[in-house]
Amino acid sequence: MKMIDVMECVSLLKEFDNYLILSHRNPDGDTLGSAFALKRALDLLGKKSMVRCNDEMADKFSYLWQNLDNSEIKFDKIIAVDVADKKLLGEEFEAKYGDNVFLCIDHHMSNREYAENLLLEDRAAAAVVIYEVICELGVEITPEIANCVYTGLATDTGCFMFSNTTPTVHRIAAEVMEKGADYTLINRLMFETRTLSYIKLEQMAVASIESHFNGKCAIMIITQEMFKESGSDESECDGIASIPRKIEGVKVGVTIREQTNGKYKVSLRTVEPFDAAKICSHFGGGGHNRAAGCEFDCSLDKVKIQLLSKIADCFE
Amino acid sequence: MKMIDVMECVSLLKEFDNYLILSHRNPDGDTLGSAFALKRALDLLGKKSMVRCNDEMADKFSYLWQNLDNSEIKFDKIIAVDVADKKLLGEEFEAKYGDNVFLCIDHHMSNREYAENLLLEDRAAAAVVIYEVICELGVEITPEIANCVYTGLATDTGCFMFSNTTPTVHRIAAEVMEKGADYTLINRLMFETRTLSYIKLEQMAVASIESHFNGKCAIMIITQEMFKESGSDESECDGIASIPRKIEGVKVGVTIREQTNGKYKVSLRTVEPFDAAKICSHFGGGGHNRAAGCEFDCSLDKVKIQLLSKIADCFE
């Protein structure tokens, strides 16, 4: 369990031949883009690997594993990518693999250091870290790797809109575009394609928005009922948590999603200087300064009261 | 009236000392960002200039002209920036200045060549052209100029999401961020800040969406009644025209906005290979391949029928 740098990470990767690469539960574009970029790079080095996730990988990401052999292998070592805490592997995977992760490649401040740890906290996306690793591995950036890296960059920065976007992110975007990343397709799939059912869900969710602390905090609720009525589902909701913060004057935007198991998943989005990760840490969650999450197993009213009391503290 | 390159444009700019810089009507981030970037560069060269527009410049852009003397001057020559056609100066300004534009700096394919013309059609934003001009002028990119350039880049590419985004756009974004562009503020102002009234308007507009040609075309209508009911107005609607194309399966997204004078303003957004500018050109409009516009002075039903008949042609 020690912190390592990119060079040391590359040495470790070269040491073994068969890897299981894990992404975090509820997989998003950064964890999957990073995992498949790494797998594709290891393939080019003649190593064997497979990417696995506790939860289903949404169809819209299928270009990431196109023309790839991701079948079952016997592995020597486990690599976790964009997974800040072994809990975030998901319940089943945590039990199965949590204590045996060999190498963690990540960019979250809230990282719990549960393996050899390449942790670059100032990188906007895990895909930036992976890109640096792949370049250091001396592997060619193929158009497929370029697609994977671009996906991580674009999804974790809200298509270069969030405050975590850096000049480096833009430069890597330029480089992978030149290496053949199909950014038009990826942007359409990640940001532009909405089903009519999702648009209906968004309408209902927006109608639920309530305002607190003189408009400085907005809370949006998404219930299982809304999913049923609109025909939409969780897999379409990647960007929905950014809505409350978009309202003029809102400093802390909260999205509360009812899960199928009755628990509530909370996403916080904040404006400087309000620290989303700090608020969520009170409830066992984590993330980044501007975007973080946590979970509750109690009634909706109690979720709100607990959240509002902690949010109140930061407005004082 | 001849085509010139960046070097020739720089020579022309150096020749005179007092400029009127014009942006297009209904001014957006690119025309204003480009105009004020140019003015700020001319200021640094010790020249006098003023930026003017036929229509009001929205408050949200006010950082572009912060700490700037934009008062009335006597000018020698007129420069139009991001104005493809003198008609787009707006009615009053076209009558007043249309025939006397000295220099046009633009990036629209549909440009009508009404002045000495620095036209770089492959640039995603007029701000890219202006950035090249300013670099060639040998002027330092101040944080204020960086803000102006970033605004043009980001707004004309939908925050680096549209297919017109190029590696060059990302690299210039990285450069102006390093020169001090306050991208967090600008992205918030341009893309993230929504008033509650706008959110209401969007809900009504989304509810109006109708689907044609088996879902390949979606038409969204925004009426004056909706503006009244929601409390929103035209100045908040910059990004609204991108909504219809976001629906899964839509190839041609149409937004029809009723104007206060009873006319209808139409915005088209298309997916490759459908040519938005070509469709709009049938109605005296223009723009880019993926994003174009035109105007109608007839009933809403007639607007729809005329548009649908031309859109039908491209699905054949």
Side-chain angles (χ1 to χ4, degrees):
Chain A
M1 314 289 171
K2 70 171 205 294
M3 300 298 274
I4 58 172
D5 63 20
V6 172
M7 297 283 281
E8 290 167 309
C9 175
V10 163
S11 302
L12 288 182
L13 286 171
K14 286 183 171 164
E15 221 169 290
F16 300 89
D17 286 323
N18 304 287
Y19 290 104
L20 167 61
I21 303 171
L22 298 178
S23 73
H24 65 66
R25 67 180 178 190
N26 297 324
D28 60 14
D30 193 28
T31 197
L32 292 179
S34 298
F36 283 104
L38 180 60
K39 175 177 169 43
R40 287 177 183 277
L42 293 172
D43 278 6
L44 291 176
L45 288 174
K47 297 182 184 290
K48 291 205 160 146
S49 62
M50 60 178 173
V51 176
R52 293 293 183 269
C53 181
N54 193 86
D55 302 333
E56 207 188 332
M57 304 179 195
D59 270 353
K60 68 172 178 181
F61 293 118
S62 64
Y63 63 92
L64 296 173
W65 54 83
Q66 209 173 21
N67 302 322
L68 200 61
D69 178 5
N70 194 25
S71 57
E72 205 64 26
I73 58 159
K74 286 194 76 161
F75 58 88
D76 312 316
K77 294 286 176 188
I78 300 175
I79 307 170
V81 176
D82 196 36
V83 184
D85 184 333
K86 56 191 182 183
K87 265 198 244 168
L88 297 173
L89 290 170
E91 210 168 326
E92 194 191 322
F93 272 35
E94 187 196 355
K96 215 162 150 186
Y97 306 120
D99 291 331
N100 296 307
V101 177
F102 167 62
L103 172 63
C104 169
I105 303 179
D106 189 27
H107 72 124
H108 290 89
M109 265 184 356
S110 53
N111 186 290
R112 297 289 182 103
E113 301 181 25
Y114 56 92
E116 304 291 311
N117 216 8
L118 174 60
L119 174 63
L120 304 180
E121 296 179 9
D122 60 341
R123 308 307 197 267
V128 174
V129 188
I130 289 289
Y131 183 76
E132 293 176 37
V133 168
I134 293 175
C135 290
E136 194 59 44
L137 274 171
V139 168
E140 190 203 335
I141 305 293
T142 61
E144 292 74 24
I145 293 178
N147 278 344
C148 294
V149 172
Y150 184 87
T151 301
L153 293 181
T155 55
D156 250 31
T157 59
C159 207
F160 313 99
M161 194 185 294
F162 300 158
S163 58
N164 64 347
T165 310
T166 59
T168 301
V169 168
H170 279 290
R171 288 214 173 84
I172 299 178
E175 286 171 26
V176 295
M177 282 163 74
E178 282 165 348
K179 296 290 184 184
D182 191 352
Y183 66 100
T184 300
L185 173 79
I186 298 170
N187 289 348
R188 253 190 85 69
L189 287 172
M190 297 299 116
F191 307 110
E192 291 240 299
T193 306
R194 311 247 172 130
T195 60
L196 261 176
S197 52
Y198 174 77
I199 289 176
K200 277 187 208 160
L201 177 74
E202 211 180 82
Q203 270 186 277
M204 293 179 206
V206 163
S208 83
I209 291 176
E210 33 179 87
S211 174
H212 297 272
F213 307 118
N214 285 321
K216 287 193 298 241
C217 170
I219 298 186
M220 185 172 79
I221 317 270
I222 303 170
T223 62
Q224 285 297 317
E225 188 59 34
M226 290 180 192
F227 281 124
K228 220 179 290 171
E229 214 175 304
S230 63
S232 183
D233 62 44
E234 193 66 44
S235 75
E236 300 188 315
C237 290
D238 269 6
I240 206 162
S242 65
I243 293 176
R245 195 189 51 186
K246 285 185 184 168
I247 300 166
E248 204 173 23
V250 169
K251 308 295 181 195
V252 179
V254 181
T255 303
I256 305 177
R257 284 185 253 189
E258 186 186 3
Q259 306 299 101
T260 46
N261 60 8
K263 291 184 186 179
Y264 290 96
K265 199 173 135 186
V266 171
S267 305
L268 250 76
R269 299 289 182 272
T270 60
V271 174
E272 225 177 335
F274 303 102
D275 190 336
K278 195 175 157 198
I279 296 169
C280 290
S281 72
H282 291 291
F283 308 107
H288 305 281
N289 288 340
R290 303 281 87 78
C294 52
E295 261 191 16
F296 289 85
D297 191 6
C298 59
S299 75
L300 181 56
D301 280 343
K302 281 189 185 151
V303 175
K304 278 198 226 170
I305 289 165
Q306 291 184 65
L307 279 168
L308 286 171
S309 83
K310 285 297 167 199
I311 292 168
D313 290 348
C314 68
F315 288 140
E316 258 162 23
Chain B
M1 315 287 172
K2 71 172 203 297
M3 300 298 273
I4 58 173
D5 63 19
V6 171
M7 297 284 280
E8 290 168 310
C9 175
V10 163
S11 302
L12 287 181
L13 286 171
K14 286 183 172 165
E15 221 168 292
F16 300 89
D17 286 323
N18 304 287
Y19 291 104
L20 167 62
I21 303 172
L22 298 177
S23 73
H24 65 66
R25 66 180 178 190
N26 297 323
D28 60 15
D30 192 30
T31 198
L32 292 179
S34 298
F36 284 104
L38 181 60
K39 175 176 170 44
R40 287 177 183 277
L42 293 173
D43 279 5
L44 291 176
L45 289 174
K47 297 182 184 290
K48 291 204 159 147
S49 61
M50 59 178 175
V51 176
R52 292 293 182 269
C53 180
N54 192 86
D55 302 334
E56 207 187 332
M57 304 179 195
D59 270 353
K60 67 172 178 181
F61 293 116
S62 63
Y63 63 92
L64 295 174
W65 54 85
Q66 207 172 21
N67 301 324
L68 201 62
D69 178 6
N70 194 26
S71 57
E72 205 64 26
I73 58 157
K74 284 195 76 163
F75 58 88
D76 312 316
K77 293 287 177 188
I78 301 174
I79 306 171
V81 176
D82 196 36
V83 184
D85 183 334
K86 56 190 180 183
K87 265 199 241 167
L88 298 173
L89 290 171
E91 210 167 325
E92 194 191 322
F93 271 35
E94 187 196 355
K96 215 160 149 188
Y97 305 121
D99 293 331
N100 295 308
V101 178
F102 166 63
L103 172 62
C104 170
I105 303 178
D106 189 28
H107 72 124
H108 290 89
M109 264 184 358
S110 53
N111 185 290
R112 296 291 182 100
E113 300 181 25
Y114 56 91
E116 304 291 311
N117 217 8
L118 173 59
L119 174 64
L120 303 179
E121 297 179 10
D122 60 343
R123 307 308 197 268
V128 174
V129 188
I130 289 288
Y131 183 76
E132 294 177 36
V133 168
I134 292 174
C135 291
E136 194 59 44
L137 274 171
V139 168
E140 190 203 335
I141 306 293
T142 61
E144 292 74 24
I145 292 177
N147 278 343
C148 294
V149 172
Y150 184 87
T151 301
L153 292 181
T155 55
D156 249 31
T157 60
C159 207
F160 313 100
M161 193 185 293
F162 300 158
S163 58
N164 64 347
T165 311
T166 59
T168 302
V169 167
H170 279 291
R171 288 214 172 83
I172 299 178
E175 286 170 26
V176 295
M177 280 162 76
E178 282 165 347
K179 296 289 184 185
D182 191 351
Y183 66 99
T184 300
L185 173 79
I186 297 171
N187 290 348
R188 254 190 83 71
L189 287 171
M190 298 298 115
F191 306 110
E192 290 239 300
T193 306
R194 310 247 173 130
T195 59
L196 262 176
S197 52
Y198 174 78
I199 290 176
K200 278 188 207 161
L201 177 74
E202 210 179 84
Q203 270 186 277
M204 292 179 206
V206 162
S208 82
I209 290 177
E210 34 179 85
S211 173
H212 296 271
F213 306 118
N214 285 321
K216 288 192 298 238
C217 171
I219 297 185
M220 184 172 79
I221 316 271
I222 303 169
T223 62
Q224 284 297 318
E225 188 59 33
M226 291 180 191
F227 281 124
K228 220 179 290 171
E229 216 175 302
S230 63
S232 182
D233 62 44
E234 191 68 42
S235 75
E236 300 189 315
C237 291
D238 269 5
I240 206 162
S242 65
I243 293 177
R245 194 187 52 185
K246 286 185 182 169
I247 299 167
E248 203 174 23
V250 168
K251 308 296 180 193
V252 179
V254 181
T255 303
I256 305 178
R257 283 186 253 188
E258 186 186 2
Q259 307 297 103
T260 47
N261 61 9
K263 292 185 185 179
Y264 290 96
K265 199 173 135 186
V266 171
S267 304
L268 252 76
R269 299 289 182 272
T270 60
V271 173
E272 222 177 339
F274 303 102
D275 189 337
K278 195 176 158 198
I279 297 169
C280 289
S281 72
H282 291 292
F283 307 107
H288 304 283
N289 288 339
R290 302 282 88 78
C294 52
E295 260 192 15
F296 288 85
D297 190 5
C298 59
S299 75
L300 181 57
D301 281 343
K302 280 189 184 152
V303 175
K304 279 199 226 171
I305 291 166
Q306 290 183 65
L307 279 168
L308 285 170
S309 82
K310 286 296 166 198
I311 292 168
D313 291 349
C314 67
F315 288 140
E316 258 163 22

